[in-house]
């Protein structure tokens, strides 16, 4: 099975949790894409009715429109029944790293407003410790004096050998701009960052920081697809 087939299997399993009449948080990324497509397909087949989708990015907004999912927003629906989204890393306590696709702020707002948050991953996303895989820990920051904020973020985790890099795109290295008009600094750690809650609090206390990609104690279910089949981990 290819990685994309595993993502699709996990996504389709998550959509089994969707019932007619639900208000859904629609995730962003290559795994969540399959869930959005599947919800649209079931609506088209009449197997699901009266679904309202709250997208977690402009990209998902467009995709959901294209597959016929009626859309709304958090102002109209401050509490949602269920969100389905991918993750970049999942630790044994179901804590997540998200945001390598750049949508972490809207994802965290939407998924934080849901009664249930079902995470869909292929097995490659499972880690022992968050931030330990040497991959990016995204932090959304305001563009104003971003170097100042990036340096303060890096200094917070000096002991963990942290390096912060402004996320850019294209060959001329333009800063990546999020749906909310902000920048992203990706933090790379050489060592384990230890207490995640303390790390989260320290990051959020910095003026200039908007949000970070650690989703702590938010997932209620994680669906993992592997060659051996599907594993469902509940909080
Ligand atoms: O960027 C994001 O937050 C995505 O949801 C990410 O966490 C998962 O993206 P993937 O399903 O394409 O790996």
């Amino acid at each position: 099975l290819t990685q994309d087939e595993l993502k699709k299997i996990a996504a389709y399993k998550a959509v089994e949790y969707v019932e007619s009449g639900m208000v859904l948080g629609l995730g962003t990324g290559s795994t969540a894409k399959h869930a959005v497509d599947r919800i649209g397909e079931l609506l088209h087949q009449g197997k699901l009715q009266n679904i309202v989708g709250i997208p977690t990015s402009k990209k998902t907004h467009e995709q959901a429109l294209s597959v016929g999912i009626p859309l709304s927003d958090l102002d109209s629906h401050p509490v949602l029944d269920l969100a389905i989204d991918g993750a970049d890393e999942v630790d044994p306590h179901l804590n997540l790293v998200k945001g390598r696709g750049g949508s972490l702020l809207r994802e965290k707002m939407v998924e934080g407003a849901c009664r249930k948050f079902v995470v869909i991953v292929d097995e490659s996303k499972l880690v022992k410790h968050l931030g330990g895989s040497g991959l990016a820990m995204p932090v959304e920051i305001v563009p104003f004096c971003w170097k100042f904020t990036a340096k303060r973020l890096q200094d917070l985790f000096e002991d963990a050998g942290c390096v912060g890099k402004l996320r850019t795109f294209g060959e001329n290295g333009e800063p990546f701009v999020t749906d909310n008009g902000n920048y992203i600094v990706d933090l790379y750690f050489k060592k384990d960052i230890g207490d995640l809650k303390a790390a989260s609090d320290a990051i959020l206390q910095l003026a200039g920081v908007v949000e970070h990609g650690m989703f702590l104690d938010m997932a209620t279910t994680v669906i993992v697809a592997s060659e051996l089949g599907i594993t469902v981990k509940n909080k």
Side-chain angles (χ1 to χ4, degrees):
L1 287 167
T2 66
Q3 189 181 31
D4 193 53
E5 283 164 341
L6 291 175
K7 292 179 174 184
K8 189 170 182 177
I9 290 166
Y12 278 42
K13 182 71 185 168
V15 174
E16 290 176 17
Y17 289 71
V18 176
E19 293 162 17
S20 291
M22 279 189 167
V23 179
L24 300 175
L26 304 176
T28 299
S30 61
T31 313
K33 178 189 173 303
H34 290 302
V36 173
D37 283 343
R38 179 67 173 156
I39 292 162
E41 183 184 22
L42 295 176
L43 277 170
H44 182 69
Q45 293 169 353
K47 290 178 182 164
L48 276 177
Q49 286 120 20
N50 306 321
I51 292 290
V52 171
I54 316 277
T56 55
S57 67
K58 291 179 181 173
K59 192 171 178 200
T60 296
H61 183 106
E62 295 311 312
Q63 182 201 357
L65 284 180
S66 74
V67 299
I69 301 174
L71 297 180
S72 185
D73 62 26
L74 291 174
D75 291 343
S76 310
H77 296 278
V79 178
L80 288 71
D81 298 299
L82 169 69
I84 299 173
D85 201 354
D88 298 298
E89 293 183 4
V90 181
D91 81 1
H93 307 287
L94 309 194
N95 293 313
L96 319 173
V97 168
K98 283 177 60 51
R100 287 185 196 139
S103 319
L104 65 111
L105 176 62
R106 296 192 183 189
E107 289 173 340
K108 198 177 267 193
M109 288 177 71
V110 171
E111 286 143 21
C114 293
R115 291 194 183 90
K116 281 197 189 134
F117 174 23
V118 178
V119 175
I120 47 179
V121 294
D122 65 274
E123 61 184 343
S124 71
K125 308 295 186 64
L126 300 183
V127 297
K128 287 252 174 307
H129 305 288
L130 295 191
S133 60
L135 299 175
M137 170 72 74
V139 182
E140 183 157 340
I141 67 169
V142 296
F144 172 73
C145 289
W146 66 266
K147 288 193 186 92
F148 169 72
T149 303
K151 181 73 172 62
R152 291 174 86 197
L153 277 167
Q154 190 170 281
D155 293 349
L156 267 187
F157 300 105
E158 201 174 1
D159 299 350
C162 178
V163 172
K165 289 196 187 106
L166 179 74
R167 189 177 297 185
T168 59
F169 80 100
E171 60 284 348
N172 48 7
E174 286 297 302
F176 172 86
V177 179
T178 68
D179 284 348
N180 319 298
N182 296 316
Y183 286 175
I184 288 186
V185 169
D186 284 312
L187 300 181
Y188 296 88
F189 303 101
K190 291 194 183 59
K191 282 186 238 142
D192 188 1
I193 46 179
D195 183 332
L196 299 176
K197 181 73 177 64
S200 169
D201 292 344
I203 291 171
L204 294 175
Q205 270 160 18
L206 295 180
V209 167
V210 178
E211 190 47 80
H212 60 68
M214 288 186 282
F215 285 46
L216 307 180
D217 205 21
M218 288 180 67
T220 50
T221 299
V222 175
I223 296 175
V224 186
S226 75
E227 292 292 340
L228 304 176
I230 294 179
T231 311
V232 179
K233 300 167 184 267
N234 289 305
K235 193 75 185 165

